[in-house]
Amino acid sequence: MAIRQILRAGHPVLEQVAEPVVDPTTDAIARIVGDMIDTLDAAGASGIAAPQIGVSLRLVVYFAPSQRCTARPGDDPLDLTVLVNPQITPVGDARYEDWDGCLSFPGLRGRTTRWERIRLVAWDLDGARSERIVGGAHARTVQHECDHLDGVLYPTRMTAASSLGFVEELTDAGRMTPRISVRAKAHLRGQTALLDRLRRAGVTLV
Ligand code: NI
C-alpha cells in the first residue's frame, strides 16, 4: 500500500466526528488499514487514527510496546491491533497526568490528564468483537486515538497550556525522558489473523 501524508492540526478533517465503519470485513477497509500501518511505521509512532490520513472513519491502528509500559494495572504490551468502531468507558475514577504527543502536531508535547484504566470494546477486520480492560500508557494511547475519531486533539485535554513544548527543548531541559522510536511492523509479525486478512484483500505493505 502506501505511506500517506499525515494531516496536521488545522485541517478540517481532524475536527470532524468520524463515521462508523459499516462493514469491517471489506477489502476497501483492509486497504485503508494497510496505508495506516505503512504510515504509522514510517512515522515511528505507536498509534494512528484514520482521520489523520484524511479518512473520516472510526478506525485506529496501534500497539503498546513493552518499553513504554508502566507498572500501572492493565498496562500490558500488545502487538499491532486494529480497532474498528472502538468504544471506551472509564473503569474507576482514577486519572493521571503524563506527556502526550501527536503526529498531527509534529515535534510537540504537552501534559494531559487521562483515565488510568478503561474498558475497550472494538471489532477487528474479521468482524469479531473484543472487549478488554487496559491501563496506564496503553490506555492513554487508546484514549488519544479514540479522541481523534471524535475530532478531539490533545491540546484540549491539556492540564495547563504552559506545559506545551518542543520535544528537543523538553528533553534537553530534563523535563521529559527521550522517547524511544518504535516501529509498527516489528509488532506485526505474530499477528497472523490480521496478516491473513490483509493478504486476502490483496494488501501489500511497503
Ligand atoms: Ni494523535
Side-chain angles (χ1 to χ4, degrees), residues 47-49 52 100-105 144-145 148 153-154:
I48 191 167
Q52 292 183 281
D100 222 309
C102 181
L103 293 172
S104 297
F105 290 86
H144 176 111
E145 301 309 334
H148 274 296
L153 301 176
Y154 82 83

Side-chain angles (χ1 to χ4, degrees), residues 81-161:
T81 298
V82 180
L83 304 177
V84 181
N85 300 330
Q87 301 163 357
I88 57 177
T89 45
V91 175
D93 1 316
R95 301 197 298 161
Y96 78 104
E97 191 188 282
D98 204 347
W99 292 106
D100 222 309
C102 181
L103 293 172
S104 297
F105 290 86
L108 289 169
R109 294 289 185 277
R111 305 282 293 176
T112 62
T113 300
R114 295 189 182 276
W115 300 109
E116 185 173 6
R117 292 181 84 201
I118 54 168
R119 181 183 310 276
L120 167 64
V121 174
W123 285 259
D124 66 17
L125 295 187
D126 292 310
R129 180 186 184 276
S130 68
E131 180 172 339
R132 55 185 169 269
I133 290 175
V134 296
H138 184 149
R140 286 180 62 90
T141 300
V142 172
Q143 288 168 83
H144 176 111
E145 301 309 334
C146 289
D147 266 354
H148 274 296
L149 308 181
D150 292 325
V152 174
L153 301 176
Y154 82 83
T156 64
R157 302 284 190 198
M158 279 175 61
T159 321

Side-chain angles (χ1 to χ4, degrees), residues 1-4 30-36 38 201-206:
M1 299 309 289
I3 297 167
R4 301 269 289 260
R31 283 195 291 272
I32 296 167
V33 166
D35 282 353
M36 289 170 72
D38 284 333
V203 172
T204 312
L205 299 173
V206 295

